[in-house]
Amino acid sequence: EVARAVGATHAVDPRDGNPVEQVKELTEGRGADYVLEAAGPPDAMAQALAMTRPAGTMVPAGWETLSSEVTFPAVDFAIAGKRIQSCQFGGAHIRRDVPRFAAMMEAGLLDAEPLISRRFALDEANDALAAALDRDLITGVILPAGRPSV
């Protein structure tokens, strides 16, 4: 739902069946040009690469643990030419881009609201961390002291 709210043309729900087959069906067997994997488990990353078309790009945005390992078929790289594009921090350069993004939000050009699951007061920082670790939210925002939790 969030992906569609921010512009995704298609979204696949693994609860509706094999996600690789769903994408193949949507693309007449070809696979997707770009696949954004945001869940994080190694199996989901492998599925994301499998649903990427030859010479397409898979972007892993989620991660399960720092020690997780993912295994991909060598043929996807050697013959199919699929690319994996890392996106730590969304590919942003923090010092350059965060001020630009803030200015875009202030100007009404960018709406981050669909990505914010919950706001936390500063004294709820441990709750925010626990919610993130439990994958109970997409993005938690910690507000400065004196600001109420919404």
Side-chain angles (χ1 to χ4, degrees), residues 1-125:
E1 292 173 22
V2 173
R4 285 188 178 273
V6 296
T9 57
H10 296 81
V12 172
D13 188 337
R15 294 175 292 196
D16 295 336
N18 182 318
V20 176
E21 293 305 316
Q22 290 180 60
V23 169
K24 297 285 185 168
E25 186 176 318
L26 285 168
T27 61
E28 299 175 358
R30 188 178 67 123
D33 295 335
Y34 296 92
V35 177
L36 172 65
E37 193 292 309
D43 288 347
M45 289 187 191
Q47 288 176 331
L49 191 65
M51 64 182 68
T52 303
R53 73 163 172 80
T57 302
M58 189 271 279
V59 180
W63 55 276
E64 188 172 50
T65 68
L66 293 176
S67 61
S68 295
E69 293 186 11
V70 183
T71 302
F72 300 118
V75 71
D76 282 337
F77 303 104
I79 296 173
K82 296 180 183 183
R83 292 179 299 277
I84 297 176
Q85 177 65 50
S86 175
C87 72
Q88 186 64 32
F89 301 113
H93 297 278
I94 301 300
R95 289 181 186 222
R96 177 194 70 200
D97 294 332
V98 169
R100 291 174 51 211
F101 297 151
M104 291 171 69
M105 286 189 289
E106 288 172 352
L109 300 172
L110 180 64
D111 181 15
E113 207 54 43
L115 303 177
I116 299 172
S117 302
R118 182 173 167 206
R119 290 171 175 77
F120 297 85
L122 186 57
D123 63 355
E124 297 175 306

Side-chain angles (χ1 to χ4, degrees), residues 135-150:
R135 298 183 185 270
D136 287 338
L137 46 79
I138 293 173
T139 302
V141 175
I142 300 174
L143 302 169
R147 304 262 319 255
S149 176
V150 178

